[in-house]
Amino acid sequence: MTEAVSRDDAPTRRDIFKLAGAGVAAATVISAKATPAFAQVAEEVNTPTLTLARKGIDKALDVINVDYLEEAVNEVYTEGVRVFVMNGSGKQWTLAENQRAWGDYVFTPHRLSGLGKEDIDLSIDLLGLKLPHPFIITPFGSHGIHHPLAEVATAIGGAQSGALSCYSSASTSAMEEITKASDAPKFFQIYLDVDDGKNQELLVRAKGAGFKGIVFTMDSIAQSSSDEYVRLGKNRPWLPYGNFDEGKSTKFKINLGWSDVGMIAKASGLPVVVKGITRAEDALKAIESGASAIQVSNHGGRSLDGTPATISVLPEIADAVQGKAPVIFDSGIRRGTDVVKALALGADAVAIGRPVMYGLALGGASGVDSVLSYFHRETVEVMVQCGARSVAELDRTHVRRV
């Protein structure tokens, strides 16, 4: 692993536990029976935040499916962390709909294709990046509540398969630590601050740190929580955000507008992905406003309850975009069958959130790699059954709506 960048203003281990409260120990130690790993990292790296690595783990996981993975991680998370990570907003109708709606589509396999697993090519080109597979690690804040190495462990695990990974401006690790952790391509996701000067500074830093693109999340304005999370008093360990002075943003901007897309592109000099698209008109407006790609997303059911499942709106958005920009898809990906359906219905790549976090919590960097390997394995098997040699060959002849 490449050595992480030291930061003079990084909080000490004592500061982190003071800020996070006693619950963080339960959230990050993982298990009393876990074998400590990354000890060599803790000895070699001087960054104070990474001394927590002595309590981390790193182990490969035998991932059968994400449901079993979720059951296992339930025994790891404190109640507050579990509710915060796994739940959606409000009554969680959209969270459930993201799963139910996959059943609206069935496969129409092309038989006798002569294909074996070794013939399947999952590689894609995305915004000038040649990627070995279409799986992206989607932005997810505060990786430190899952594992002591936080986003650094995610970056190491994602790089093992060459995955493109995206990191939130609300990350536990500083962006410079994340990009130094591996050479695999990375995007930086930004929640705009009310202080435009701070936005400019973050975007310039992101480009300087080596990020290849910016993800602009547009659907988390006045983001709501699940009723259960509110009932618990939003009781989860809080860790400082590594990209901000004093560990937190001034205040996230709510009154976002299309002009923000152009500002981000100009300030960063990088391709911009507009994330949170659920209607065709917004996809076209995003491209018109300077977006290089769009991300069909309902924030994993965590933003506005009552919005449709993303797979339900993907076909009409892909039809409207007509190849003008790549379409990334997220929210509800749990199996290789989900991946292939999304790709066949018009997505160019799929972004995965919660399952990767479960892998991080249970196995650190190797756990992240295990989750991506699971999706790779299942996707290949489904493509063999469908008779599609490559991602580019997948189209609507391979699925139909029930």
Side-chain angles (χ1 to χ4, degrees):
M1 185 192 81
T2 306
E3 184 177 357
V5 172
S6 296
R7 295 209 311 152
D8 294 335
D9 59 345
T12 65
R13 182 180 181 183
R14 179 176 298 174
D15 289 336
I16 288 176
F17 276 93
K18 182 179 179 182
L19 287 164
V24 72
T28 56
V29 168
I30 306 301
S31 168
K33 297 179 181 179
T35 303
F38 285 123
Q40 73 279 10
V41 176
E43 298 301 328
E44 294 170 2
V45 176
N46 294 322
T47 308
T49 51
L50 299 191
T51 60
L52 285 169
R54 290 186 177 89
K55 291 187 180 296
I57 61 171
D58 181 67
K59 63 179 181 181
L61 306 174
D62 183 14
V63 182
I64 298 173
N65 64 40
V66 174
D67 291 337
Y68 292 157
L69 200 64
E70 190 169 282
E71 289 176 11
V73 85
N74 254 322
E75 300 179 8
V76 169
Y77 288 149
T78 61
E79 185 179 20
V81 171
R82 176 188 62 79
V83 172
F84 171 72
V85 173
M86 295 183 177
N87 284 18
S89 65
K91 293 179 68 175
Q92 305 186 87
W93 183 87
T94 295
L95 181 72
E97 182 68 1
N98 279 340
Q99 294 304 307
R100 187 216 62 78
W102 292 111
D104 291 343
Y105 295 90
V106 295
F107 291 110
T108 52
H110 297 192
R111 299 301 189 188
L112 300 178
S113 62
L115 294 178
K117 294 179 184 179
E118 67 281 357
D119 300 312
I120 303 302
D121 177 14
L122 292 186
S123 66
I124 63 168
D125 290 339
L126 183 70
L127 297 177
L129 299 172
K130 294 187 179 300
L131 303 173
H133 54 68
F135 317 123
I136 299 172
I137 299 176
T138 207
F140 209 108
S142 299
H143 290 202
I145 66 174
H146 307 276
H147 191 277
L149 274 180
E151 289 80 8
V152 169
T154 308
I156 297 168
Q160 292 180 37
S161 67
L164 170 64
S165 51
C166 309
Y167 298 93
S168 173
S169 55
S171 59
T172 307
S173 306
M175 64 173 79
E176 292 83 1
E177 294 171 350
I178 297 169
T179 53
K180 292 278 185 181
S182 74
D183 293 330
K186 302 171 186 67
F187 283 179
F188 179 76
Q189 178 270 343
I190 189 167
Y191 292 114
L192 289 183
D193 194 278
V194 293
D195 184 338
D196 206 41
K198 290 190 175 182
N199 294 326
Q200 302 270 348
E201 179 184 345
L202 273 178
L203 292 166
V204 170
R205 274 181 64 192
K207 184 176 184 179
F211 287 95
K212 304 300 183 185
I214 304 294
V215 179
F216 172 35
T217 298
M218 59 182 287
D219 65 349
S220 61
I221 52 175
Q223 184 175 346
S224 59
S225 301
S226 69
D227 296 343
E228 186 179 357
Y229 187 52
V230 174
R231 181 181 62 80
L232 287 173
K234 299 185 177 181
N235 181 28
R236 75 172 176 97
W238 179 81
L239 291 173
Y241 298 147
N243 295 314
F244 298 96
D245 294 335
E246 305 300 325
K248 59 184 179 181
S249 170
T250 308
K251 187 178 180 182
F252 289 135
K253 181 180 178 181
I254 292 177
N255 58 332
L256 303 173
W258 291 113
S259 60
D260 290 319
V261 179
M263 181 278 292
I264 292 169
K266 182 177 180 181
S268 67
L270 294 170
V272 177
V273 179
V274 174
K275 178 179 179 289
I277 300 290
T278 56
R279 51 187 289 167
E281 299 95 317
D282 286 347
L284 295 176
K285 187 66 176 178
I287 296 168
E288 183 183 307
S289 300
S292 297
I294 61 143
Q295 189 156 337
V296 178
S297 171
N298 58 33
H299 219 94
R302 295 168 65 87
S303 185
L304 175 63
D305 200 23
T307 54
T310 46
I311 196 62
S312 300
V313 299
L314 173 63
E316 65 186 78
I317 292 173
D319 286 345
V321 171
Q322 293 185 332
K324 296 183 181 74
V327 175
I328 301 169
F329 174 93
D330 78 48
S331 299
I333 295 281
R334 293 294 182 272
R335 305 207 64 127
T337 49
D338 304 337
V339 172
V340 175
K341 286 179 182 180
L343 294 173
L345 289 171
D348 296 290
V350 297
I352 303 166
R354 288 183 180 92
V356 173
M357 294 301 100
Y358 301 159
L360 177 64
L362 293 167
S366 292
V368 169
D369 180 52
S370 296
V371 170
L372 293 173
S373 296
Y374 156 75
F375 279 106
H376 191 287
R377 180 178 69 252
E378 280 215 344
T379 300
V380 166
E381 291 171 353
V382 176
M383 288 180 64
V384 169
Q385 287 276 1
C386 286
R389 184 182 301 272
S390 66
V391 172
E393 286 188 10
L394 285 170
D395 57 31
R396 295 186 196 177
T397 66
H398 293 96
V399 294
R400 67 176 175 85
R401 192 175 179 99
V402 177

